[in-house]
Amino acid sequence: PDVVVICDISRSVQNVTRFFLLFLYALNEMLARIRTFVFCSNLVEVSGIFKQHGLERAIAEIESGNCLGVSFGLTDYGRSLLEFQRNHLGSVSQKSTVIIIGDARNNYDDPQAWILNRIRERSQRVIWLNPESRAMWGSGDSAMPDYLRWCSLALECNTLAHLERAARSLLKISA
């Protein structure tokens, strides 16, 4: 299966970033065809880091952003999605499952939700894993309601049980 993952590593998800990076590292070991991107203020591909380094070093490099070009300013989902569309949308096909991991907190900037529609049109499915409780989706600067309509599946994901449910959904979709 083709899997493309776009993961928020900003301060607003700092308490679950390591949790998600461990999940992504495991996915990279299980799946031959996976591309992984991380973002805060901009988007950077990190697929090679997972392949080149052991678990601890890969996660440490991604969390720090050292030598990756990750800008740790204000989280900007819209800008990151624009960068994905401009530079990587061609890697998404009808066989692709696209997983977005993040809280959708966009600092009141334009969420560019229409890009998620373009990704959805090109892919098999779009799955969103959000570490916040569903009750928080849409509160404050959360753009989650803007993105929801383009998701095949959106799950609260902040525990191992949630992650297991998400993994089962992914395996069903990929089979």
Side-chain angles (χ1 to χ4, degrees):
D2 290 331
V3 176
V4 175
V5 181
I6 303 170
C7 183
D8 180 354
I9 60 169
S10 67
R11 286 181 290 269
S12 68
V13 292
Q14 190 172 15
N15 59 334
V16 292
T17 299
R18 188 168 192 75
F19 175 69
F20 285 133
L21 291 176
L22 287 166
F23 171 65
L24 293 178
Y25 191 88
L27 274 181
N28 274 270
E29 286 189 330
M30 292 171 40
L31 303 173
R33 294 174 47 120
I34 182 170
R35 291 186 72 184
T36 307
F37 301 86
V38 298
F39 72 94
C40 181
S41 299
N42 65 317
L43 182 87
V44 175
E45 184 167 7
V46 295
S47 304
I49 291 173
F50 285 123
K51 289 176 177 49
Q52 294 169 359
H53 302 295
L55 174 67
E56 288 302 320
R57 183 166 175 204
I59 290 175
E61 283 196 27
I62 293 168
E63 283 181 320
S64 72
N66 290 341
C67 303
L68 296 179
V70 176
S71 174
F72 285 102
L74 293 176
T75 311
D76 195 337
Y77 276 78
R79 177 180 172 190
S80 298
L81 287 171
L82 281 168
E83 289 178 14
F84 182 82
Q85 177 201 330
R86 184 175 42 250
N87 301 319
H88 306 289
L89 189 60
S91 66
V92 176
S93 72
Q94 289 297 310
K95 294 181 180 181
S96 302
T97 295
V98 177
I99 303 170
I100 300 174
I101 301 173
D103 61 5
R105 298 226 168 253
N106 199 40
N107 295 296
Y108 301 101
D109 289 327
D110 185 346
Q112 305 290 347
W114 63 273
I115 297 170
L116 199 57
N117 179 39
R118 300 239 8 241
I119 292 170
R120 173 66 182 100
E121 289 172 345
R122 292 183 61 99
S123 66
Q124 180 184 25
R125 302 216 190 235
V126 173
I127 299 172
W128 195 298
L129 304 179
N130 190 322
E132 291 190 335
S133 70
R134 279 190 176 268
M136 298 301 294
W137 296 4
S139 68
D141 66 342
S142 171
M144 196 65 195
D146 297 317
Y147 296 126
L148 271 174
R149 65 179 162 160
W150 309 119
C151 296
S152 310
L153 180 64
L155 300 170
E156 177 182 333
C157 189
N158 55 32
T159 68
L160 286 175
H162 291 154
L163 193 56
E164 182 180 2
R165 184 180 68 201
R168 283 189 191 151
S169 296
L170 176 61
L171 292 174
K172 284 179 191 173
I173 290 167
S174 300

